[in-house]
């Protein structure tokens, strides 16, 4: 872990370590995805420019970071969203987001990590660059 990393409450340790290894050398803020109902298990739709999660408990849906801005057919081109899946066959995951921070502490990169509920396998399902500011609002959109 980087000395300036921040890992939020509820992020599974193995997912935090995995996400830290998957991002560049910048400091990161890692936050767990938690549904309004308190649920932490999700079905996830992903493509190269975003991710949307659906709570497996209540069915509530939410976009991760700025995904909603690019979640339309014009933006997808040849990259239509698909369901994230584990090699074990499960499609239910714990999710966390690593926000790579620039020198000014603004978000420069978003990396979505998943941990399979069934077998614990961790992986990155999507990551994308942020090239605008301000970005503080993104840190609450996990």
């Amino acid at each position: 872990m980087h000395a300036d990393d921040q890992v939020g409450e509820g992020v599974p340790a193995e997912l935090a370590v995995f996400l830290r290894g998957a991002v560049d050398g910048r400091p990161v803020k890692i936050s767990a995805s938690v549904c309004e109902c308190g649920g932490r298990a999700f079905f996830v739709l992903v493509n190269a420019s975003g991710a949307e999660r659906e709570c497996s408990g209540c069915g509530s849906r939410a976009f991760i970071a700025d995904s909603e801005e690019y979640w339309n057919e014009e933006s997808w081109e040849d990259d239509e969203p698909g369901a994230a899946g584990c090699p074990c066959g499960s499609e239910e995951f714990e999710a966390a987001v690593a926000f790579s921070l620039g020198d000014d502490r603004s978000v420069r990169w978003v990396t979505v990590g998943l941990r399979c509920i069934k077998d614990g396998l961790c992986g990155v399902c999507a990551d994308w660059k942020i090239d605008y500011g301000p970005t503080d609002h993104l840190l609450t959109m996990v």
Side-chain angles (χ1 to χ4, degrees):
M1 297 295 242
H2 191 279
D4 293 329
D5 287 350
Q6 301 171 33
V7 178
E9 185 178 324
V11 177
E14 51 279 315
L15 187 52
V17 169
F18 181 85
L19 279 168
R20 174 69 253 177
V23 300
D24 59 22
R26 293 181 179 158
V28 294
K29 179 174 182 179
I30 301 174
S31 300
S33 286
V34 181
C35 181
E36 290 178 357
C37 75
R40 293 177 178 263
F42 302 96
F43 301 103
V44 182
L45 289 174
V46 297
N47 70 3
S49 59
E52 180 183 27
R53 61 177 173 81
E54 178 183 344
C55 179
S56 63
C58 73
S60 177
R61 299 176 84 95
F63 289 100
I64 295 176
D66 61 354
S67 298
E68 186 172 16
E69 295 177 34
Y70 306 101
W71 209 256
N72 58 62
E73 291 182 27
E74 294 81 35
S75 298
W76 295 336
E77 296 179 22
D78 293 329
D79 190 27
E80 190 170 329
C86 181
C88 77
S90 178
E91 293 182 350
E92 192 174 11
F93 301 93
E94 290 178 288
V97 180
F99 298 98
S100 294
L101 306 175
D103 293 337
D104 61 354
R105 307 300 290 169
S106 63
V107 176
R108 291 292 155 236
W109 204 267
V110 176
T111 303
V112 180
L114 302 178
R115 181 179 177 274
C116 179
I117 296 294
K118 187 175 179 182
D119 68 5
L121 183 67
C122 294
V124 169
C125 69
D127 63 337
W128 60 94
K129 184 177 171 120
I130 303 297
D131 58 4
Y132 61 85
T135 61
D136 290 344
H137 68 287
L138 298 176
L139 297 172
T140 63
M141 302 173 75
V142 292

